[in-house]
Amino acid sequence: MRRPLKAIDAKRSVSEGSSLSRRDLLKALPAAGLAVAGACRRAPLPYDPARFLHSASSDVAILPATSYDVDLADMVGRGLRLLNVDVRGKRVLLKPNLVEFERGRVINTHPSLVAGAAEALRRAGAGRVVVAEGPGHRRDIEYLVTGTGLFDALRDVGVAFVDLNHDDVRRVPLKTRFMSLPDLALPVAVLDADLIVSMPKLKTHHWTGMTASLKNLFGVVPGAVYGWPKNLLHFRGIENSILDLASTIRPRLAIVDAIVGMEGDGPIMGHAKPVGAVVMGDDLVSVDATCARLMGLKPALLGYLRQAGEFLGNLPAASIHQRGEPLSRFATRFEVPPAFKALQGSDG
Amino acid sequence: MKAVAVASLADELTTTLLAARNSDGGWPYYKGKASRLEPTCAALLALGTPAMAGEAPGSLDVSPLDRWQRRAGLFVDAAGEVNLAFNGLAAIALASSVRPSMAADLTAALTQSRGIRIPPSAINRQDDTIQAWPWSEGTFSWVEPTAWCLLGLKRLTRVPRPPQVLRRIDDGERLLADRACRQGGWNHGNSNMLGTELPPYVPPTAIALLALHDVAGAPHVTRALQYLEANQQAEAGGLALSLACVCLTVYSRPCEQARSALDTQWRRSRFLDNLHVAALALYAATAEGHRCEAFRV
């Protein structure tokens, strides 16, 4: 579906356009986010707005799934149709969130959803589907892939796994300058894919408040080049890194595992929070904004998401067309780390 | 039966590595990809070391490194980046070879390289003034690159060491002592975060222990060794199991559990076809012959 393109006024400062005052933001954002926001206000825009024209509204589908035992391939297929996503002949790379394995903890995107998505994309005509991840927390990816059950799930559906931490790399210029870096070495599997699908687990995050489809992109940065736990990105600022990666890689689809999310001390030490939904969309900013609202958080108070909403996608609820189930059916309140209490609430 | 299984594992891994060698003499992480420093050094050690049993020290063939691009004494890896941890592994390989000029250059480069100093942390219990070794230049220090570079520097130099080398060894040892987890062993870097004690992992613990073998009496080393012995097969992956085997062999501790699990894991997943892991596993599977001499200080 084609919609009018939304142009960004290059003269407008990053903070304008938000109904929040600077004082509100200062109260709400934790120290890590403040450094980023403050720096960006003083500096010129770290991107060329003309390169980031996008539709003035976005579709986000919320699909019910009471457990991982339902037919997830069928459900994702329904989402693809609701969103009019054309994958025919495309080389598709699914990027789940695979961080850590602890039996009984719900840290990672569930293997059944990953396998289901792969199956749905193949049924929809994708040319080739691979699952790829470069964990930033653990170096022994085999331990994660076999321990979590992803190895068996992918073998069952005949889908290959690509280790992004150790793939060949190419140096590519970054399309934004939040990290003040000209370029990054990125895996060829990512660079050569026609369609990158971010498949995060919906979780709270003790540095960024929440993690969904945008933060999930950390995993494409090759550890064998930049270290563990993605040393360079933490050094340059997590929120800056998220923005540069999202703007450069530009995934065109997100499938969020919110069947069971994580609340509390995420992204690893928190506890299970059943939501019973899968969130899908082709605008990752809108998907993450919808996820924030599902969690009972105000999207505009999440530093990187607010900035992404200025140039990369649509943040306001009024700009998001909800498909599938209404958001209100699944809206809940995630327990968040203490530093992020001010993020809780409705943005109307 | 166990001996048969290990011999078979070694044979299969040898065949796998030989079949995946690139025409430039190096190894990629995955067959058909570009040669990389880490799997190349690991494969050289794994394939070359068994042949060294009974031979004079310094006989390891490291000829692929002769042609490797270098910058200021450091080996350059993918996309022109320098990964210091892998240069530490290269130092370990060079220490078993006869390349005095290259070894001297790398010794000097590792001595000069250091992580940046950052302000005191308000969220961690750690000393951020210690400048050991980072993954990449211009960033801060972590356990794994520090351990590899520390071990490499110790292997490349002999007592009495020059003062500048001794200072860097002291930096590395202080960082590892500072970052040790309360329960013993090491996480990637922080031992605690936001008031929560972090758990140790097998790979960084094994590598750090290798680097500290010459100070084995230190309490944090003792605790780490106890952790590793007890958890040698806790992380079912070829990387963790191989490093546990190598480390426990160097410390003359039993590692049958890890070695057996290594075989099981290979049968199950083929280590996801990762050649770096295959090389470490081969080195571990043949440890009885070479006693992991290349990793001893």
Side-chain angles (χ1 to χ4, degrees):
Chain A
M1 185 184 299
R2 293 187 65 84
R3 298 200 189 85
L5 294 178
K6 176 181 174 182
I8 307 291
D9 180 356
K11 294 176 184 169
R12 195 176 63 169
S13 75
V14 171
S15 63
E16 288 171 359
S18 163
S19 59
L20 295 162
S21 68
R22 178 175 168 78
R23 185 179 297 271
D24 290 335
L25 281 166
L26 286 171
K27 281 183 194 170
L29 292 169
L34 268 180
V36 176
C40 290
R41 262 183 218 100
R42 285 190 297 274
L45 286 175
Y47 54 85
D48 174 5
R51 298 184 71 177
F52 294 97
L53 297 177
H54 57 83
S55 299
S57 64
S58 304
D59 289 344
V60 174
I62 302 180
L63 303 155
T66 51
S67 80
Y68 295 99
D69 295 328
V70 303
D71 187 342
L72 292 168
D74 179 69
M75 190 208 62
V76 172
R78 213 159 3 108
L80 294 175
R81 290 189 293 277
L82 279 172
L83 296 165
N84 291 322
V85 178
D86 183 2
V87 300
R88 285 174 298 175
K90 290 182 177 169
R91 293 167 297 180
V92 179
L93 183 144
L94 297 179
K95 161 63 182 74
N97 186 223
L98 192 63
V99 187
E100 175 61 280
F101 170 59
E102 284 184 43
R103 205 170 295 283
R105 278 191 190 270
V106 290
I107 299 168
N108 309 297
T109 309
H110 198 285
S112 298
L113 182 60
V114 180
E119 191 62 31
L121 286 157
R122 284 202 299 215
R123 286 178 195 167
R128 179 172 186 247
V129 180
V130 297
V131 172
E133 168 66 310
H137 196 66
R138 285 280 196 167
R139 201 169 164 199
D140 194 336
I141 194 166
E142 179 197 355
Y143 165 68
L144 290 181
V145 171
T146 56
T148 57
L150 185 61
F151 180 79
D152 291 334
L154 296 184
R155 187 187 51 198
D156 289 348
V157 294
V159 171
F161 179 84
V162 178
D163 171 5
L164 295 179
N165 277 332
H166 301 100
D167 194 17
D168 280 355
V169 295
R170 280 204 305 268
R171 191 167 286 284
V172 293
L174 294 173
K175 291 178 181 166
T176 56
R177 292 286 188 273
F178 289 93
M179 288 194 288
S180 300
L181 286 176
D183 52 36
L184 272 182
L186 292 174
V188 295
V190 169
L191 299 174
D192 291 347
D194 299 318
L195 175 68
I196 296 167
V197 184
S198 181
M199 290 198 66
K201 183 83 161 173
L202 185 59
K203 297 185 286 189
T204 51
H205 194 289
H206 58 213
W207 295 130
T208 56
M210 69 170 275
T211 169
S213 66
L214 291 169
K215 171 70 177 67
N216 183 40
L217 301 177
F218 252 48
V220 307
V221 175
V225 177
Y226 296 111
W228 285 262
K230 305 297 164 89
N231 195 174
L232 182 79
L233 302 193
H234 285 85
F235 187 70
R236 292 279 173 172
I238 294 174
E239 302 205 332
N240 293 331
S241 311
I242 294 170
L243 293 163
D244 279 346
L245 286 170
S247 62
T248 300
I249 297 166
R250 298 303 293 269
R252 298 295 179 181
L253 185 63
I255 303 173
V256 184
D257 177 2
I259 297 174
V260 179
M262 175 184 279
E263 66 176 357
D265 187 14
I268 294 170
M269 313 282 274
H271 45 271
K273 177 72 171 178
V275 177
V278 169
V279 182
M280 294 176 59
D282 56 8
D283 172 354
L284 272 63
V285 177
S286 294
V287 168
D288 284 12
T290 300
C291 287
R293 293 179 180 110
L294 276 176
M295 299 168 82
L297 303 177
K298 298 174 186 174
L301 293 187
L302 288 149
Y304 70 92
L305 191 51
R306 179 179 55 79
Q307 290 201 53
E310 296 288 345
F311 72 102
L312 204 54
N314 294 304
L315 188 75
S319 302
I320 300 173
H321 296 301
Q322 220 69 63
R323 306 288 177 186
E325 301 294 317
L327 192 152
S328 57
R329 178 180 163 186
F330 299 98
T332 182
R333 188 178 171 91
F334 274 52
E335 178 195 324
V336 295
F340 294 94
K341 291 286 185 195
L343 271 58
Q344 290 181 313
S346 165
D347 62 355
Chain B
M1 286 299 289
K2 191 172 288 176
V4 172
V6 170
S8 173
L9 173 63
D11 289 345
E12 289 183 33
L13 291 169
T14 300
T15 303
T16 299
L17 285 170
L18 291 175
R21 190 172 197 175
N22 283 331
S23 58
D24 62 7
W27 277 265
Y29 284 104
Y30 294 94
K31 189 177 179 180
K33 303 275 186 176
S35 295
R36 301 284 287 272
L37 184 59
E38 189 183 36
T40 295
C41 291
L44 290 173
L45 284 163
L47 292 168
T49 303
M52 289 169 57
E55 295 178 21
S59 59
L60 185 71
D61 174 16
V62 294
S63 52
L65 297 183
D66 294 336
R67 300 182 294 274
W68 209 277
Q69 184 190 351
R70 289 192 290 158
R71 191 163 65 228
L74 293 166
F75 293 96
V76 176
D77 205 23
E81 295 280 350
V82 168
N83 185 308
L84 285 164
F86 306 158
N87 271 273
L89 183 61
I92 292 163
L94 279 181
S96 297
S97 72
V98 186
R99 292 292 190 282
S101 171
M102 201 184 290
D105 288 349
L106 186 55
T107 301
L110 290 178
T111 303
Q112 287 170 7
S113 301
R114 63 179 63 232
I116 63 160
R117 187 175 178 138
I118 59 175
S121 173
I123 54 173
N124 296 323
R125 181 194 66 245
Q126 67 184 35
D127 183 353
D128 287 326
T129 65
I130 304 173
Q131 296 173 264
W133 284 275
W135 284 100
S136 52
E137 291 169 311
T139 59
F140 50 89
S141 309
W142 292 85
V143 167
E144 184 169 341
T146 292
W148 282 126
C149 291
L150 182 59
L151 179 56
L153 208 47
K154 286 181 176 179
R155 286 281 302 163
L156 277 177
T157 55
R158 291 285 173 268
V159 177
R161 295 184 170 102
Q164 66 272 25
V165 172
L166 287 174
R167 280 195 294 274
R168 295 302 288 137
I169 287 175
D170 181 62
D171 289 338
E173 291 181 348
R174 283 191 300 122
L175 183 125
L176 294 180
D178 183 68
R179 305 298 204 268
C181 296
R182 281 251 162 97
Q183 71 177 92
W186 284 269
N187 196 287
H188 284 307
N190 318 120
S191 65
N192 62 102
M193 177 64 69
L194 299 170
T196 302
E197 295 299 323
L198 298 181
Y201 300 143
V202 166
T205 297
I207 302 164
L209 278 171
L210 287 169
L212 297 173
H213 189 217
D214 55 342
V215 289
H220 64 284
V221 177
T222 304
R223 279 197 305 276
L225 188 56
Q226 288 168 348
Y227 159 79
L228 189 64
E229 277 192 274
N231 292 278
Q232 59 180 274
Q233 59 172 345
E235 295 178 23
L239 181 68
L241 294 165
S242 301
L243 288 169
C245 274
V246 172
C247 180
L248 292 172
T249 299
V250 166
Y251 277 80
S252 302
R253 301 298 175 101
C255 62
E256 283 76 18
Q257 292 174 356
R259 202 170 298 173
S260 174
L262 193 60
D263 188 79
T264 303
Q265 194 66 19
W266 168 254
R267 309 282 161 222
R268 183 183 180 200
S269 68
R270 302 270 153 178
F271 307 146
L272 305 184
D273 300 321
N274 184 313
L275 297 166
H276 165 235
V277 176
L280 289 177
L282 175 58
Y283 192 83
T286 54
E288 283 180 9
H290 54 68
R291 298 181 59 249
C292 302
E293 288 293 342
F295 291 85
R296 288 177 187 268
V297 291

